Amino acid sequence: MKNCAIVGINWGDEGKGRMVDLLTEDYDIVVRYQGGGNAGHTVVNDKGKFALHLLPSGILRPGVVNILGNGVALDPENLWAEMEDVRSKGVAITPENLKISDRASLLLPWHRDLDALEEQRLGDKKYGSTKQGIAPFYSDKYQKKTILAGELFYPDELRAHLEDLLEWKDLTLTRVYGSKPYTAEELLSWLRQYGEAIMPFVCDTGAYLKEAQAAGKNILFEAQLGALRDLDYGIYPYTTSSNTLAAYAPIGAGLPSLKLTEVIGVVKAYSTCVGEGPFVSEMSGAEADRLREAGAEYGAKTGRARRVGALDLVATRFGVETQGATKLALTKLDVLSYMEKIPVCVRYRVGGAETDRFPFPAELNSAEPVIEYRDGWGCDISGIRRWEDLPDAARAYVTRIEEAVNCPIAYISVGPERESIILR
Ligand code: GDP
């Protein structure tokens, strides 16, 4: 019986979806335990190219049961659109292979409105939200002002609950932001359309997982974003509004007493960061453009150009430690093949002194990277499948990272396709 979490070590977009897609072969169940449709996993396999936002990546493997846990931000409208899109490419989605926790809170249309209104109010000081409603959603959840998916089965109570929330939310929409209020009818009709569509999938996923655990099933926990975006431990306030750490997996999945047996941290061979906030090893100008093009670094959800930079060993070590990673997957090593010399950020300079320690968020703005240059390998490595066949310089790059972050790199990805992987 395996309980493994696959998590991001950096700012997100490390290629977790690609790793989950690869590893689901050994698992019976894949659970998404936090976040919403605000990020995207891109998975390429024999059925085509998929941009998954909320659906667990195991949906692409026949026989795998996928769960959206209580910790996710469940937007029925966007989930339904995603389900239709994936189905249109020939993937079956049924209540047998997708189960939604009855304790997951619903992300309602006003959460998306409030996200956009707040970014507009912030102007130049904006956080770079994807405007999917995630921050207003999680604030409401903590205020105990959301609807649980399971309430869809109790229409009378649901209407009364919704009317209470509406009265309160319309005050914020109209008085704080001068925006339009919602009516109960609008919301009920939205729920009839999208809530009813997902109802066949909603069940007590905690009970299902408990039984699965007792039966010795292998469970994979899939996170969104990365350690540096964790609400409690990341680069606050440029974090997301949920916990991206492996430690949260049992809680957000629905099995709070579960112990993880393995944590696979996904690290990209260079750095990327979407949105605002400090990014110490950031590149600029032509150097950045070249890397962005080579790595096709554009957001899966928004199409936004990602900020790019040198691999940051300070942030990566911090990510490995906070995630409690037991092994690592290094992705996109092939992208660096064009570089003659590869920059790596090995330490930060903060307040005139060099440090290995990832600093408190307020210190990050003034931190400068200390760069070491590694030899490039000068050839295409995307067809290589064995560690021994990698050029010496590429192996030296991998072992440099491993030693610096004190965690073994067990997988090296050299292309987006399922088979473009080197196992060590
Ligand atoms: P995630 O959210 O962590 O799953 O990351 P994204 O899906 O946003 O970003 C990863 C992107 O890189 C996707 O477009 C993948 O298809 C692609 N990708 C993943 N691994 C590799 C790799 O080893 N090499 C190359 N060239 N592309 C990769």
Side-chain angles (χ1 to χ4, degrees), residues 12-18 39-44 49 268 294-297 300 306 331-335 413-416 420:
D13 307 316
E14 298 94 345
K16 293 176 295 297
R18 176 248 187 291
H41 292 315
T42 311
V43 179
V44 185
K49 183 171 179 179
K268 188 147 51 182
E297 294 297 348
R306 292 177 182 150
T331 60
K332 297 193 124 173
L333 190 62
D334 56 305
V335 172
S413 171
V414 289
S420 302

Side-chain angles (χ1 to χ4, degrees), residues 292-362:
R292 186 177 303 110
E293 288 309 313
E297 294 297 348
Y298 297 91
K301 180 78 195 176
T302 57
R304 282 193 288 188
R306 292 177 182 150
R307 298 159 72 193
V308 298
L311 177 71
D312 181 336
L313 292 180
V314 182
T316 302
R317 191 184 310 107
F318 172 80
V320 168
E321 284 168 6
T322 33
Q323 291 288 17
T326 53
K327 44 170 119 146
L328 297 177
L330 182 70
T331 60
K332 297 193 124 173
L333 190 62
D334 56 305
V335 172
L336 298 182
S337 298
Y338 75 90
M339 287 189 185
E340 260 173 50
K341 290 280 172 196
I342 307 175
V344 178
C345 170
V346 289
R347 282 181 299 283
Y348 289 173
R349 201 172 294 110
V350 183
E354 290 192 8
T355 179
D356 288 338
R357 183 186 62 89
F358 192 70
F360 183 74

Side-chain angles (χ1 to χ4, degrees), residues 222-236:
E222 179 182 20
Q224 175 218 36
L225 295 166
L228 300 164
R229 300 287 189 196
D230 183 84
L231 178 63
D232 286 85
Y233 295 91
I235 52 170
Y236 190 86

